[in-house]
Amino acid sequence: IPAYGSAEGHGGLVFHMALLNEDLTGLAKSSLFPLGSFIPIWAAVDQKDHQPLLLLLEECVAATTPELQSASLVYPIITNKGCLADGKTGNSRFLPRYHSSAILLYLQSFKFALGEEVYIHCKLVAWDPEVFDIEKKACHYIKETGEWELLDDPSQSDLCKCCDSSCKPRLKRGVDSGILRHFISSLTKL
C-alpha cells in the first residue's frame, strides 16, 4: 500500500509525508523499490493562516520497526540537523523546491534489512524561510565538487561545513520558542 501520513503539530500546523511516483505528479502506486532505484519522498506543512514557513527534514533514519526502539536496526539518512548523509555514499539528493513549505528527498534505495519491511522515520521542522543556521538547513553532498551545498541558498553553503563533523550551536541564553517540530513516519519497503 503506498505510504502517506499526516499529523498535526503545535500551533495547529499539519504536516504531510508521502512516497511519490517516478514523475513526481502523484502518490506512488507501490511501496516496493528495486535496489538502486530512486524513492521520491515528499514532505510538506500546511501554510493556512501562518506566516510563510520553511519545511526542513532535521533527521531521517531507516528502521526495521514502525516505532523507533533501542532494539531497532537503523540506517542514518539525514543527520546533523539537516545533512543528507546518504548522499555521500549513494546518489541521494534534495530536489529543487517548488515552495518553501515542501521538500522533496530523492532517496536512492540501498541494501538494508533485506526481505524485511523498512520504515523511514523523519523529524520535520517548520521554520522561518529567511533564517538559516547550522541547526536549520537542508544540505546535500555534491560528489562532483566534493562539497556540501545548502539547498535553499548555495551562497550560504558554509552552514553545511559541519556536516562532516558535528553541527552544534554556540551556547546562547534564553529559550528558542520559535521551533515547531513533529515526528512523522512513512512506510516504504525496499
Side-chain angles (χ1 to χ4, degrees):
I1 299 172
Y4 177 81
S6 64
E8 191 164 324
H10 301 289
L13 291 178
V14 178
F15 294 87
H16 305 277
M17 201 166 180
L19 301 176
L20 299 183
N21 58 23
E22 287 179 16
D23 59 4
L24 311 175
T25 58
L27 296 177
K29 291 187 168 117
S30 171
S31 59
L32 296 173
F33 297 91
L35 186 62
S37 66
F38 285 92
I39 306 167
I41 300 173
W42 166 82
V45 59
D46 287 346
Q47 287 288 135
K48 294 188 180 178
D49 296 328
H50 295 280
Q51 66 182 28
L53 296 171
L54 176 71
L55 184 76
L56 299 167
L57 296 171
E58 187 172 85
E59 306 286 334
C60 288
V61 297
T64 54
T65 56
E67 303 277 333
L68 284 178
Q69 305 160 0
S70 60
S72 301
L73 180 61
V74 297
Y75 173 82
I77 298 168
I78 297 175
T79 61
N80 243 340
K81 306 287 185 177
C83 301
L84 180 51
D86 187 65
K88 283 196 85 168
T89 55
N91 293 309
S92 299
R93 63 189 181 278
F94 291 116
L95 296 180
R97 289 187 194 262
Y98 63 89
H99 195 277
S100 68
S101 63
I103 193 164
L104 286 165
L105 169 59
Y106 210 49
L107 180 66
Q108 186 176 32
S109 60
F110 47 87
K111 283 186 183 181
F112 175 73
L114 296 176
E116 293 186 51
E117 287 186 343
V118 175
Y119 298 83
I120 306 294
H121 298 268
C122 291
K123 187 177 192 180
L124 308 177
V125 177
W127 189 249
D128 181 345
E130 302 298 319
V131 180
F132 298 105
D133 64 35
I134 62 171
E135 288 196 307
K136 308 292 182 292
K137 64 192 180 305
C139 299
H140 52 214
Y141 190 74
I142 309 296
K143 287 188 175 184
E144 296 77 27
T145 63
E147 296 180 350
W148 290 92
E149 181 180 84
L150 185 66
L151 169 68
D152 299 292
D153 184 358
S155 71
Q156 294 188 52
S157 291
D158 279 355
L159 295 172
C160 302
K161 286 187 177 183
C162 64
C163 287
D164 285 324
S165 56
S166 180
C167 299
K168 292 184 180 175
R170 288 183 244 146
L171 294 176
K172 56 186 174 183
R173 295 179 189 164
V175 176
D176 197 359
S177 62
I179 301 172
L180 303 169
R181 301 171 190 229
H182 204 284
F183 287 91
I184 304 269
S185 295
S186 176
L187 167 67
T188 181
K189 193 171 186 179
L190 302 175

